[in-house]
Amino acid sequence: MKLTLENVTKTFGDKRAVDGVSTELTNGVYGFLGANGSGKTTLMRMLATVSTPTSGRITLNGNDIFQLGDSYRDLLGYLPQHIGYYKHFTVEKFLFYIASLKGMDKHGAKQRITELLDRVNLTEKTKVKIGKLSGGMKQRVGIAQALLNDPKILIVDEPTAGLDPKERIRFRNLLSEIAQDRIVLLSTHIVSDIEYIAKEILIMKNGRLIEKNTPQKLMEGIQQQVWKVQVNDREVASYQSSYKVGNMVRGSNGVELRIISERKPAGDADHTPVNLEDLYLYYFDKEAGA
Amino acid sequence: MKEIQIDPEISEFLNSYTIDYPNEEEMETSIEYILSQVPQKKKRFASFKTSAQTIIANSLREMLMFNWTFWALNSVFLFFGIMSLTVFQTDPYLTLFALAPMPFIAGIFEILKSQHAGLTELEMTLKYNAHQIVSSRLLVVGVFNLFINAAITALCLQVDPGLIFSKLLLSWTIPYVLVSGIAFLIAMSMKSNMVSSVLLTVWFVFCYVMIQTPVTQEFLMQLNGFKAAAFIMAGVIIWIVHIVKIKTFNIRSQGI
């Protein structure tokens, strides 16, 4: 299965939300990384057929996804960034309703709902009204509905928002398990969500796709620009104003700063292994600080 | 015809070119690719038939998902209609006029509940998508409203066989088509889950004022065929606009 984006552009008035994105996506997890307003959600919406590109084309195995219509949507599982619920529906009723809108038969839906509620740790909440669930639980219902039809293309926009660390790990593992024979597109600005499971990371900035590569390759690309330096308390502000400073670890000998810089920031600075947070900081420093 | 003279040097240069013809497999691949790009002619009637069948099939599911308040409210309207005609002996034409769009106005909340719950974006990506879902709900509410109006018309004729059937029909057809169309238009732009309550209140007040005002009452009673047809036509046009809008649901129109 191959999802192809050919020069996809989406404009809203004068603003280019997505600007000439071209890429190919095959089975595996793809992490879309970008600051707020970078175009991730707009691109996700086009891939989910919620909106159409202003220009360019999205195809699945050579066929335009908008021409494919319901046969494409039949393959799709989607979790929007902001999902609403019918609050007076119970969890089970909501999932049955969505299953029927996905064209599933009652028997198949029943089995799948039981299985998925177990996977997202909501079995005990089956008969509870959605309005009474916490934000994290509602998000888990959202994840379950996206997986109901065993989708071949799963698009999840900020899926871990509101989940506690344990549930985030559970969700990551779930995605990792199912991604072998399907395309999973995951948009986030929480780098740890994709660090270990993404086959490739797509970095978006100002509507453009600026990088697409494996996490390893992307991190290798900035290997010479990540430094660790020990400073005292009084020097921290000066480093922060001159460099992109990531983590700061306070210890007995002062503060250890993680710095992203093309040049060596201090005589005693040492290179340190790169992680995805460094990568994020490298590309989105201004946005992160905003 | 004059033969074109080509410089021997250029001629020799051109002759040195060879064109590699593609093999059978390459030609097949090219044809297959090009065919996938050719827009398919839509069989409009077949597509309309499939779409209509889907909407009808989905209506039953949507009906089962309606909140009990919709059915309770409509039972109250029906009860009120029966009581008005049999106990209070109100004017049957005016009673029908006032009751005619109420089930629909009460149902607007159900029709647009995805929008109010923030589920439209998700529903746009499902096999049976947002416009089919809204159309199915519209069908349920519309047909149910029609059934209520027909039942009250039958009751009117039962209570007083001397009533004019065509006038009874006109009494409810105009508000059923026109008022419900305008109400839906307002509801689409209001995007509030209080929309049904607000519109029902407005309609109650309007009917009360109209019944209290002899001029409007007389106007309604003397609606002739031409004027009535004009009102109904206006309602039909509003509904055509709605149907087109629903068919082209997109995230901007839904304010997502």
Side-chain angles (χ1 to χ4, degrees):
Chain A
M1 207 161 42
K2 190 167 73 177
L3 205 49
T4 310
L5 289 86
E6 295 169 22
N7 206 20
V8 172
T9 297
K10 181 77 183 179
T11 57
F12 297 108
D14 292 339
K15 188 177 161 37
R16 275 178 178 254
V18 171
D19 191 1
V21 171
S22 297
T23 190
E24 275 187 8
L25 310 165
T26 52
N27 290 348
V29 179
Y30 292 87
F32 283 77
L33 203 59
N36 293 332
S38 58
K40 303 190 299 284
T41 295
T42 308
L43 189 61
M44 289 270 177
R45 280 178 171 165
M46 288 191 280
L47 287 161
T49 69
V50 173
S51 69
T52 49
T54 309
S55 63
R57 219 165 153 250
I58 305 173
T59 58
L60 177 70
N61 299 334
N63 299 302
D64 191 302
I65 61 167
F66 295 94
Q67 300 274 333
L68 287 171
D70 62 359
S71 57
Y72 175 72
R73 296 197 302 273
D74 210 10
L75 303 171
L76 199 64
Y78 179 52
L79 175 64
Q81 188 176 17
H82 303 291
I83 180 173
Y85 299 92
Y86 297 129
K87 289 176 182 147
H88 60 282
F89 279 25
T90 63
V91 171
E92 189 181 42
K93 186 177 175 183
F94 177 76
L95 291 175
F96 262 118
Y97 178 60
I98 298 293
S100 69
L101 292 176
K102 289 188 176 201
M104 296 172 72
D105 67 83
K106 203 173 175 182
H107 179 70
K110 172 99 185 130
Q111 276 188 329
R112 187 76 178 141
I113 289 168
T114 309
E115 183 194 332
L116 282 170
L117 285 176
D118 181 49
R119 300 290 295 263
V120 298
N121 203 18
L122 279 177
T123 305
E124 286 174 14
K125 305 289 178 189
T126 309
K127 304 285 180 192
V128 175
K129 286 193 175 174
I130 294 184
K132 292 189 174 165
L133 298 180
S134 68
M137 286 177 185
K138 282 181 191 163
Q139 191 68 0
R140 282 185 270 155
V141 175
I143 292 165
Q145 69 73 26
L147 295 168
L148 271 174
N149 55 332
D150 197 18
K152 293 290 167 211
I153 300 163
L154 179 64
I155 300 173
V156 284
D157 196 357
E158 304 281 355
T160 55
L163 297 188
D164 63 36
K166 193 176 145 197
E167 291 302 335
R168 271 171 50 192
I169 293 167
R170 187 190 268 262
F171 176 66
R172 277 207 301 261
N173 293 341
L174 175 62
L175 279 194
S176 191
E177 270 175 50
I178 64 169
Q180 283 174 351
D181 57 349
R182 71 198 77 209
I183 300 172
V184 179
L185 310 177
L186 188 155
S187 146
T188 186
H189 55 254
I190 303 169
V191 288
S192 58
D193 283 350
I194 50 175
E195 189 157 15
Y196 304 108
I197 60 167
K199 172 171 122 179
E200 285 193 317
I201 292 176
L202 291 87
I203 298 176
M204 292 201 64
K205 194 171 187 178
N206 301 327
R208 302 189 79 93
L209 179 62
I210 56 171
E211 284 285 358
K212 178 180 179 264
N213 219 324
T214 62
Q216 204 53 44
K217 287 267 165 55
L218 288 172
M219 288 191 284
E220 275 170 20
I222 62 162
Q223 206 163 30
Q224 296 305 311
Q225 297 176 43
V226 183
W227 308 86
K228 192 171 68 174
V229 59
Q230 195 78 31
V231 300
N232 61 47
D233 277 341
R234 278 169 293 143
E235 291 172 311
V236 172
S238 148
Y239 275 94
Q240 279 181 315
S241 61
S242 310
Y243 299 99
K244 292 178 181 177
V245 178
N247 272 350
M248 291 194 288
V249 182
R250 208 166 286 275
S252 53
N253 298 329
V255 184
E256 188 187 277
L257 301 181
R258 209 175 166 86
I259 290 174
I260 318 294
S261 170
E262 281 177 19
R263 60 189 169 88
K264 197 173 183 179
D268 59 347
D270 291 322
H271 280 299
T272 185
V274 183
N275 61 38
L276 270 189
E277 272 184 18
D278 300 321
L279 192 76
Y280 190 91
L281 204 62
Y282 176 76
Y283 285 106
F284 304 111
D285 178 46
K286 279 180 187 157
E287 290 86 345
Chain B
M1 213 174 169
K2 196 181 170 189
E3 205 171 289
I4 300 166
Q5 291 293 315
I6 301 175
D7 186 286
E9 204 176 328
I10 294 173
S11 175
E12 197 182 330
F13 177 69
L14 290 174
N15 284 337
S16 69
Y17 269 102
T18 55
I19 298 167
D20 291 329
Y21 281 92
N23 61 32
E24 200 70 23
E25 197 184 335
E26 284 170 331
M27 278 196 269
E28 282 295 323
T29 313
S30 301
I31 291 165
E32 267 177 38
Y33 179 77
I34 290 162
L35 271 179
S36 75
Q37 312 295 316
V38 177
Q40 299 242 324
K41 268 192 183 173
K42 280 187 181 169
K43 290 173 183 162
R44 280 182 177 249
F45 180 72
S47 148
F48 172 77
K49 196 177 153 195
T50 313
S51 185
Q53 280 171 340
T54 307
I55 288 166
I56 292 166
N58 286 345
S59 297
L60 181 66
R61 182 202 48 236
E62 290 302 326
M63 194 171 76
L64 295 172
M65 294 294 164
F66 274 23
N67 197 298
W68 64 269
T69 50
F70 171 76
W71 305 111
L73 208 56
N74 278 296
S75 304
V76 171
F77 296 150
L78 192 60
F79 177 73
F80 179 74
I82 294 167
M83 292 299 281
S84 300
L85 292 167
T86 55
V87 180
F88 304 113
Q89 298 192 324
T90 53
D91 184 302
Y93 300 110
L94 287 176
T95 307
L96 260 176
F97 180 86
L99 282 175
M102 283 187 187
F104 184 86
I105 297 175
I108 286 177
F109 175 72
E110 285 296 329
I111 297 167
L112 298 178
K113 67 182 175 189
S114 316
Q115 197 175 321
H116 301 146
L119 263 167
T120 313
E121 184 175 350
L122 172 63
E123 287 177 355
M124 282 174 176
T125 69
L126 303 176
K127 184 176 180 182
Y128 302 123
N129 66 8
H131 88 255
Q132 288 170 324
I133 296 166
V134 170
S135 304
S136 298
R137 290 175 188 158
L138 261 174
L139 189 68
V140 173
V141 176
V143 169
F144 180 69
N145 197 157
L146 209 61
F147 171 76
I148 297 258
N149 292 350
I152 296 177
T153 308
L155 181 70
C156 289
L157 290 169
Q158 193 74 29
V159 171
D160 182 358
L163 291 170
I164 306 161
F165 177 71
S166 59
K167 204 172 168 189
L168 280 176
L169 206 63
L170 274 185
S171 298
W172 66 258
T173 311
I174 295 170
Y176 174 67
V177 180
L178 184 60
V179 176
S180 61
I182 294 169
F184 197 63
L185 189 74
I186 296 167
M188 292 274 268
S189 48
M190 266 179 75
K191 294 188 174 76
S192 157
N193 53 11
M194 295 297 289
V195 70
S196 286
S197 322
V198 172
L199 289 170
L200 272 176
T201 310
V202 171
W203 180 244
F204 273 127
V205 173
F206 175 80
C207 289
Y208 180 76
V209 172
M210 197 200 68
I211 288 166
Q212 298 299 314
T213 317
V215 181
T216 51
Q217 217 184 98
E218 201 182 350
F219 175 76
L220 184 72
M221 289 297 151
Q222 289 177 354
L223 268 181
N224 62 28
F226 178 74
K227 280 182 194 165
F231 279 118
I232 293 169
M233 190 52 77
V236 169
I237 291 168
I238 293 173
W239 274 110
I240 290 170
V241 173
H242 287 325
I243 290 164
V244 172
K245 262 188 166 180
I246 291 166
K247 266 205 83 114
T248 53
F249 252 173
N250 61 52
I251 53 163
R252 294 205 96 186
S253 72
Q254 294 303 295
I256 298 165

